[in-house]
Amino acid sequence: MNGTATTTILNVDDTEAARYAKSRTLRHAGFEVVDAVSGRDALAQMEALRPALVLLDVRLPDISGIEVCKEIKRRWPTTMVLQTSATFTSAADRTRGLEGGADAYLIQPIDPDELVAAVRALLRLHAAESSTRALNESLERRIEERTRALHQSNIRLIEQIAQRERAEAVLVQSQKMEAIGQLTGSMAHDFNNILASMVGYIHLVQRMAGDAKLSALLDKALAAAERGKQLTLRLLAFSRSNDLVTGPTDVRALLQGMRDWLQQAVESAITLELDVPAEGELVALTDANQLELAMLNLVLNARDAMPQGGRIRIEAAAQELAQVEGELGAGAYVVITVADTGTGMAPEVAAKAFDPFFTTKPVGRGTGLGLAQVANVARLSRGGARIDSEPGRGTRVALWLAAGSGAATAPAPARALPEDLAGRGERVLVIDDEADIRRTMGELLRGNGYEVLSAADGGAALSAYADFLPQMVLLDLGLPGLSGIEVARRLRQIDPKLPIVFVSGHADRELLWTAVPGARLLRKPFQSEELYAEVRRGLDEKDGEAPGAQTD
């Protein structure tokens, strides 16, 4: 092992001549040698120098060389020990020395070449063991790093799987809502036409009836029809996403304005608390009218969950999300929370609470549309609805609405009816594919002083226009063949100032007003006064050359 001048060897021997001979041989071979004359001296040198190899005599003046070897191997197990002795030379002595931890055993006097060869052999073994240990440590580090990387990858994979499952659940829910929306939209359209026909006939009978009892019964029939209208509005609230006209809405003013109304809606045994901060902006991008309906639905649901009384607490606060949380994107929100102390819901019930037509109420007590409307308002306000409930511990529903800024609006007050609703012989064209609606609208308008012509579709209406020259047009949006919007556009090309009132139960107001500027919208089913008012307003504004208003 020439060229190993930096390798230090500790030579331990209390006999000066023997110690000198071994040190001289090793130094001549290129090793650095440090001498020790006792066991304690050897251990002290080991602590200070940490040599790669110890040349250790068995017989020492203070501690047996075998005991010194055991201590070295206990404290510095990688150090090589070459035991030597001129006294203990039997096979049993060599066995005891090797079992004590020595790596080799030589009998003195030692041939110099044998000593150097033995030392070099042990140092090669020491180097190989050191290399193996380093390799093992490197492998252990690499295995640990790889294990850590795999663990992190596994965590990421689990998160991605969870995200995918959430996305799939949202997609399934979205598809389900879309399918239900199409179904309920179609149902609401047909139901509105039926209601419109019924209400029209009731008004006709009411106008002819002279008996007070009959009139009272007809008033009750109209009230029942109005409840049917509210049901269709709830259906349309989540089936027609583009029917929600969002804008900056002052949530603080809206909730404070509803306080008395909501208090009247709950039982006297229920305490209603409203906690809205006096300072700071609470403006949400939503439809104020639909938000009012959502709050009423939440409060009524909370009331029904507390038959023995309790407390309903409404809170509103601004919230900021730094990152995406489920269906909610990062950004600013106004969060309205309605919490009750009622019976609560089981997890499987809470999971379905926002589904349309899902209800746990007895037959006749609920339609399953209240919370569906709440969720739809939140979704169309670029937010979401969350529910936290537990049996016996009440329910907490949070309505997240995208925050807005600028001038906030409150629900627009209902427009006053014109003082004179009577017709003056003006010509009105009624276009609707439902024969009953055409008939009842025609009779009501004729009885109110108008000349009326009816048409079942757009083609017939355009043909009749040239002969009849109407001063006002009432038309259904969903006509067979030419759509109501296309008919309106063609009539406006003939007469740009022609007053037009769309009669529909589920019109897209923004699209309607964009396609036919100045057109009005009369919701089916309608009261006779509402019909007279829209016709009168349109005719009066045309006569005064005022622009048509966009009313609902």
Side-chain angles (χ1 to χ4, degrees):
M1 193 166 176
N2 297 327
T4 321
T6 57
T7 303
T8 299
I9 297 175
L10 178 61
N11 181 18
V12 186
D13 199 321
D14 63 332
T15 302
E16 184 175 355
R19 185 176 66 251
Y20 173 77
K22 288 183 284 186
S23 294
R24 182 175 179 277
T25 298
L26 293 173
R27 288 191 181 102
H28 186 265
F31 297 103
E32 181 180 341
V33 183
V34 177
D35 293 334
V37 297
S38 65
R40 292 189 177 86
D41 186 16
L43 295 175
Q45 295 285 11
M46 280 295 303
E47 187 71 46
L49 301 176
R50 306 289 174 89
L53 185 143
V54 178
L55 194 60
L56 179 62
D57 190 30
V58 174
R59 187 171 183 175
L60 296 174
D62 54 352
I63 307 173
S64 164
I66 292 176
E67 294 303 319
V68 173
C69 178
K70 289 179 180 180
E71 184 65 16
I72 290 173
K73 287 295 185 180
R74 185 183 69 81
R75 296 172 62 183
W76 303 281
T78 61
T79 301
M80 308 301 292
V81 177
L82 175 54
Q83 197 98 58
T84 64
S85 179
T87 305
F88 303 101
T89 59
S90 67
D93 293 329
R94 291 196 298 273
T95 300
R96 190 161 64 94
L98 293 172
E99 289 182 347
D103 297 289
Y105 198 103
L106 293 178
I107 302 300
Q108 297 186 104
I110 308 170
D111 179 78
D113 292 337
E114 184 182 3
L115 175 61
V116 171
V119 167
R120 286 177 175 168
L122 290 176
L123 289 175
R124 285 196 300 271
L125 181 59
H126 179 270
E129 290 179 350
S130 297
S131 177
T132 301
R133 282 193 298 273
L135 178 61
N136 288 338
E137 291 173 357
S138 175
L139 287 174
E140 287 176 358
R141 283 196 303 272
R142 291 169 64 184
I143 291 172
E144 183 179 351
E145 291 171 357
R146 183 59 177 164
T147 301
R148 186 163 49 249
L150 288 173
H151 179 64
Q152 293 172 349
S153 298
N154 189 44
I155 291 176
R156 288 194 296 270
L157 180 60
I158 291 173
E159 291 176 349
Q160 290 171 357
I161 291 173
Q163 290 175 358
R164 180 173 180 177
E165 289 176 348
R166 287 194 295 269
E168 289 176 347
V170 170
L171 177 60
V172 170
Q173 179 68 9
S174 175
Q175 292 172 338
K176 180 172 69 174
M177 291 298 294
E178 182 179 356
I180 293 176
Q182 293 173 352
L183 173 63
T184 55
S186 176
M187 289 172 54
H189 173 72
D190 294 340
F191 191 33
N192 271 329
N193 283 334
I194 295 171
L195 284 175
S197 300
M198 289 174 54
V199 170
Y201 283 124
I202 292 171
H203 280 297
L204 290 175
V205 174
Q206 197 172 43
R207 191 171 62 187
M208 293 183 293
D211 185 275
K213 291 184 178 180
L214 179 59
S215 294
L217 292 175
L218 292 172
D219 286 339
K220 291 183 179 180
L222 287 174
E226 181 62 26
R227 289 196 297 272
K229 178 180 178 179
Q230 294 302 318
L231 177 59
T232 59
L233 287 177
R234 288 189 180 185
L235 285 166
L236 293 169
F238 68 86
S239 69
R240 298 290 297 180
S241 62
N242 51 8
D243 197 44
L244 198 73
V245 181
T246 61
T249 300
D250 187 338
V251 173
R252 180 186 291 106
L254 184 143
L255 292 178
Q256 290 173 344
M258 294 184 69
R259 182 197 293 268
D260 294 340
W261 180 29
L262 293 176
Q263 183 64 64
Q264 293 173 4
V266 300
E267 304 295 338
S268 58
I270 296 175
T271 302
L272 182 70
E273 300 176 357
L274 182 61
D275 183 8
V276 181
E279 303 295 331
E281 190 175 61
L282 284 179
V283 176
L285 293 175
T286 187
D287 184 306
N289 292 311
Q290 288 293 327
L291 180 56
E292 281 191 342
L293 179 59
M295 295 307 302
L296 179 61
N297 283 330
L298 287 174
V299 169
L300 292 179
N301 266 23
R303 178 201 65 185
D304 293 343
M306 297 184 292
Q308 306 303 321
R311 184 178 71 256
I312 300 174
R313 183 176 179 82
I314 302 174
E315 300 175 353
Q319 295 280 355
E320 186 82 24
L321 290 184
Q323 58 186 9
V324 175
E325 290 188 10
E327 78 282 10
L328 298 175
Y333 292 88
V334 175
V335 182
I336 305 174
T337 305
V338 178
D340 64 57
T341 57
T343 54
M345 306 179 195
E348 61 273 15
V349 174
K352 299 179 180 179
F354 294 123
D355 288 356
F357 308 111
F358 176 79
T359 180
T360 58
K361 297 177 182 178
V363 176
R365 289 288 305 278
T367 61
L369 293 174
L371 287 181
Q373 184 269 343
V374 170
N376 193 64
V377 169
R379 178 175 60 86
L380 298 176
S381 301
R382 292 186 294 166
R386 294 178 173 180
I387 189 166
D388 180 18
S389 186
E390 187 175 338
R393 302 189 64 178
T395 299
R396 182 182 180 89
V397 179
L399 200 60
W400 290 68
L401 311 172
S405 60
T409 60
R415 297 189 61 183
L417 294 176
E419 292 182 4
D420 185 5
L421 296 179
R424 299 156 197 164
E426 295 96 338
R427 297 179 301 280
V428 179
L429 177 60
V430 176
I431 311 168
D432 200 298
D433 59 329
E434 291 284 339
D436 286 332
I437 294 177
R438 292 197 308 273
R439 185 178 302 113
T440 55
M441 288 179 65
E443 290 298 325
L444 288 171
L445 290 171
R446 290 188 188 96
N448 201 45
Y450 296 99
E451 185 179 348
V452 182
L453 182 66
S454 299
D457 56 57
L462 293 174
S463 299
Y465 180 86
D467 297 329
F468 188 57
L469 295 178
Q471 296 163 273
M472 160 72 72
V473 172
L474 298 170
L475 77 161
D476 186 20
L477 190 64
L479 293 173
L482 290 176
S483 70
I485 288 179
E486 183 58 30
V487 173
R489 283 173 172 169
R490 295 193 184 187
L491 291 175
R492 279 286 178 84
Q493 289 175 356
I494 301 172
D495 182 359
K497 294 183 179 181
L498 178 66
I500 294 176
V501 176
F502 284 98
V503 184
S504 175
H506 62 288
D508 181 338
R509 291 182 293 184
E510 290 185 350
L511 177 62
L512 185 67
W513 296 339
T514 300
V516 187
R520 294 180 176 279
L521 176 61
L522 179 61
R523 293 282 189 189
K524 293 179 181 177
F526 47 82
Q527 301 296 325
S528 57
E529 289 80 4
E530 293 176 298
L531 172 64
Y532 301 151
E534 287 302 329
V535 174
R536 191 70 266 160
R537 286 191 188 108
L539 290 170
D540 290 347
E541 287 175 356
K542 180 185 179 183
D543 293 340
E545 295 188 351
Q550 299 172 355
T551 62
D552 187 356

